[in-house]
Amino acid sequence: MKLLFWLFFVPLIVFGQSNSIKGTISEGVDSTVSYNTFITIEQLNLTTKTDSSGTFLFTDIPDGNYNLIIFKKGYITLLPNPILIAFNGSYNLRFHL
């Protein structure tokens, strides 16, 4: 019975874990929250936008190196350094426009 547990249940734990990227974006000299700012993971063609508190979230991101593109009308597009996503990582980022 223990063997069945290790063969079937434990792999679900290992493979059920995922990476996430969340963050906040601020703008201006007073660093107010930046809502409706678009964030794209270039290699995955995934896009989201910040909410009213300036936060964004991507979930279920596979391991790899990714370029983020941050865009808001009226601002220069921000292209931060690539980020490395590793097994079961949770990344909390902050950007300023």
Side-chain angles (χ1 to χ4, degrees):
M1 188 66 162
K2 285 184 179 182
L3 179 61
L4 289 176
F5 172 81
W6 287 106
L7 289 176
F8 294 106
F9 184 69
V10 173
L12 291 176
I13 294 171
V14 172
F15 293 110
Q17 299 171 343
S18 64
N19 300 310
S20 66
I21 303 171
K22 68 178 181 176
T24 57
I25 299 179
S26 59
E27 62 183 72
V29 293
D30 57 354
S31 295
T32 58
V33 297
S34 183
Y35 62 91
N36 289 331
T37 300
F38 293 90
I39 303 93
T40 299
I41 300 176
E42 184 177 29
Q43 291 82 351
L44 300 176
N45 200 29
L46 291 175
T47 300
T48 190
K49 66 179 182 175
T50 56
D51 60 18
S52 61
S53 63
T55 62
F56 66 90
L57 175 65
F58 291 102
T59 58
D60 300 323
I61 305 300
D63 293 350
N65 285 310
Y66 298 108
N67 298 320
L68 296 182
I69 301 169
I70 301 170
F71 172 79
K72 183 170 185 175
K73 189 175 181 177
Y75 289 87
I76 294 173
T77 300
L78 186 60
L79 303 169
N81 291 330
I83 59 172
L84 173 64
I85 303 297
F87 181 74
N88 197 30
S90 178
Y91 301 86
N92 194 354
L93 309 172
R94 302 184 108 202
F95 298 105
H96 183 82
L97 298 175

